Amino acid sequence: MYTCTSCGEKHEDMPALCFATPDPYNQLSEEERIAYQAECDSDFCIIRYPDQTDRFIRAVLLIPIIGHEETLEYGVWVSVSEKSFNDYQSDFHDNPENVVYFGRICNWLPPYESDTFGLHCNVVTQSDNRRPLLQLHQGSEHPLVHDFYHGIEYAEAQARIEAAFGADY
């Protein structure tokens, strides 16, 4: 059992490993955020560089836990095209289910030693105002892709949560 830092309530299930912002936003100084008119809330982020605009949406990556119905959940940010961003944002409070956008993960996910930033994925919308789910593209040798398709042991999921929240989560 743990107390959620977002809602303050106690939960029985595993906590999600969430990122408040995409890494590119996080790496900007306050002056750069102002200069690039960077905006970030809990679901959308835009960075307006002089030569390009980057758009990000928040999504959920579920890693199966072998032998359990529970999953290890990552709340990550994904870069998407302008068209995908605008389409998703325009229907945000009433998104149809199973609309698919191409994206790239924009967070480094521990404990992976090789960078997870830029891994290709599909962003699949869900109904009922839930964040979209990610489906990683097969073909990559990245350990995260392997874990997405084959799962991780329960002890590994626990170790990742304890690394993020401490042993008393």
Side-chain angles (χ1 to χ4, degrees), residues 44-61:
F44 299 96
C45 183
I46 299 176
I47 304 172
R48 296 171 184 90
Y49 298 105
D51 58 340
Q52 72 183 40
T53 299
D54 291 345
R55 294 164 180 84
F56 310 90
I57 60 175
R58 196 150 178 206
V60 177
L61 176 64

